[in-house]
Amino acid sequence: MSQDGPSPEFAATLKSSGKAMTDSGKFYTLKYTISESKRKQTVYIRKSPETYLSLKGHEVFGLVWEGPTEPTAEKLLEWSQRRFGVGGLVCERPSETQTQFRVRYRLTVADSATAAELTEALEIVAATSDDVEKVLNPGAEDHF
Amino acid sequence: MSQRIYLGLALAIGLAGSTFAQTTTSTATTTASQEPNLIEAGLKATGLNYAKTTSGLSYSVDFDHSGGKTRRVLVAITPTKLLKVRSHVIYTTVWVGDQAPSGEILAKVMYQPKKYGHFYTFKDTEGKYAVRFGVNFNSAILSSSPQSGEATVKNLKDCILFVDQVGEETSKQLSGQ
């Protein structure tokens, strides 16, 4: 497995999709609003594609949970048992760039994706992440 | 500035997105009856040896590994339909047990994201648990008559190889080898 540098072709596709985005270093970030509700969701696209043989894809994710302490084994079991038609959940420990334990809903978009395919994937991540956030944080304010 | 998603879309995706296995299967069965399923044609074009499982739910591809071990990778026959995506899960088992996996095992896999795919826990009807690694393959990218050498057929084959590789590495890690 290896990781290439930023992909200009993918950036051009994203630009041609007409999406409003922010360049935040390693990621492009896009803000979504769920129509007819006040909820919002930020979607992150990793600029650099991950490669494996003929596969070349970008991680696209939304944050769905975060907390200052490590989730319990019971929480990990509950979360790991959630299954999705597309994508899945991964956990993240605090790092040099952020101080929280986090959970992402993520999927991968091919570097060669068309603007329409990319748009579809972004909408899936935005909507599903917001749905999962509501389930994993019952009663809490919209955070992500 | 932000993009707007219509609530109807969000709810539809949410239902499929946060579903458990039973609902996924139900959705996919509807899909299968309405559209041609290209996954077997794609699988055939990869040149890999495969067989339909006795349950009829998946195709299996076996890989030989050192120590006389065989790893089985399964390709779900029925896709989950989400917008234009036809997602087939390609998965392998990395851990099994009569009890739920420990927090230590779960932490090892959940905090160790791979380049593609994700780990998840499956509990069968007999109450046994398995930790699986899976990736999604979108069969909608395949041509109507997939042929060996096509880029999307290579993608399918490499997804299967990736699952085998991660499965083997993770199984060894979890068993302390």
Side-chain angles (χ1 to χ4, degrees):
Chain A
M1 286 179 275
S2 63
Q3 188 177 60
D4 296 338
S7 164
E9 296 82 6
F10 186 80
T13 302
L14 182 57
K15 190 175 180 181
S16 72
S17 73
K19 299 290 182 190
M21 60 178 177
T22 304
D23 187 329
S24 54
K26 292 182 178 177
F27 302 97
Y28 299 112
T29 59
L30 298 92
K31 305 282 188 185
Y32 280 84
T33 300
I34 310 300
S35 185
E36 299 176 25
S37 80
K38 294 180 179 177
R39 296 186 65 87
K40 299 183 184 302
Q41 184 70 43
T42 300
V43 175
Y44 302 82
I45 305 172
R46 187 178 294 279
K47 286 184 187 174
S48 300
E50 305 288 357
T51 60
Y52 176 82
L53 302 176
S54 71
L55 304 176
K56 190 174 185 181
H58 297 258
E59 179 187 22
V60 178
F61 68 92
L63 294 171
V64 297
W65 183 92
E66 72 175 14
T69 56
E70 186 155 14
T72 63
E74 288 74 20
K75 282 288 182 192
L76 288 179
L77 179 62
E78 176 194 330
W79 296 342
S80 74
Q81 287 185 286
R82 296 198 67 79
R83 295 178 62 193
F84 301 86
V86 180
L89 301 180
V90 297
C91 297
E92 177 185 354
R93 286 196 168 91
S95 66
E96 291 178 356
T97 56
Q98 62 89 21
T99 60
Q100 302 288 298
F101 287 87
R102 290 174 161 178
V103 181
R104 301 174 178 183
Y105 166 77
R106 75 168 195 175
L107 50 76
T108 302
V109 176
D111 190 69
S112 59
T114 63
E117 291 167 342
L118 178 56
T119 295
E120 199 164 272
L122 290 167
E123 291 181 354
I124 288 171
V125 172
T128 306
S129 296
D130 186 59
D131 251 13
V132 177
E133 179 187 350
K134 285 186 279 189
V135 173
L136 268 49
N137 305 271
E141 292 285 317
D142 184 18
H143 185 56
F144 301 111
Chain B
M1 288 195 290
S2 72
Q3 280 68 225
R4 181 168 292 273
I5 301 179
Y6 293 107
L7 185 59
L9 173 63
L11 289 174
I13 291 169
L15 285 171
S18 57
T19 191
F20 288 87
Q22 295 89 334
T23 313
T24 303
T25 303
S26 173
T27 304
T29 301
T30 304
T31 303
S33 64
Q34 294 171 340
E35 299 177 0
N37 193 336
L38 292 172
I39 197 68
E40 183 174 14
L43 200 48
K44 189 174 182 181
T46 66
L48 294 169
N49 290 320
Y50 67 94
K52 199 171 193 175
T53 58
T54 51
S55 70
L57 297 175
S58 306
Y59 296 111
S60 63
V61 183
D62 290 342
F63 292 90
D64 293 330
H65 290 280
S66 59
K69 292 182 179 177
T70 300
R71 171 155 297 279
R72 173 159 290 186
V73 176
L74 293 150
V75 181
I77 293 173
T78 308
T80 295
K81 182 180 176 182
L82 198 56
L83 301 179
K84 292 180 182 174
V85 174
R86 302 294 176 267
S87 174
H88 300 258
V89 63
I90 299 174
Y91 67 94
T92 191
T93 299
V94 299
W95 179 92
V96 292
D98 292 330
Q99 304 293 322
S102 66
E104 182 184 4
I105 287 173
L106 290 169
K108 277 184 179 175
V109 296
M110 296 291 283
Y111 285 106
Q112 192 184 73
K114 301 299 179 183
K115 306 300 183 190
Y116 309 96
H118 57 279
F119 292 95
Y120 60 95
T121 302
F122 179 81
K123 185 180 180 183
D124 69 18
T125 53
E126 296 176 352
K128 293 185 177 179
Y129 288 85
V131 176
R132 295 172 172 177
F133 174 75
V135 301
N136 297 114
F137 179 78
N138 177 16
S139 63
I141 68 171
L142 292 168
S143 65
S144 57
S145 179
Q147 301 297 317
S148 173
E150 291 180 0
T152 53
V153 171
K154 288 182 181 175
N155 290 165
L156 172 58
K157 182 176 183 178
D158 293 341
C159 279
I160 294 168
L161 296 178
F162 183 73
V163 170
D164 171 58
Q165 182 179 326
V166 171
E168 198 59 18
E169 290 172 355
T170 307
S171 288
K172 287 180 180 175
Q173 181 190 5
L174 294 180
S175 64
Q177 292 180 41

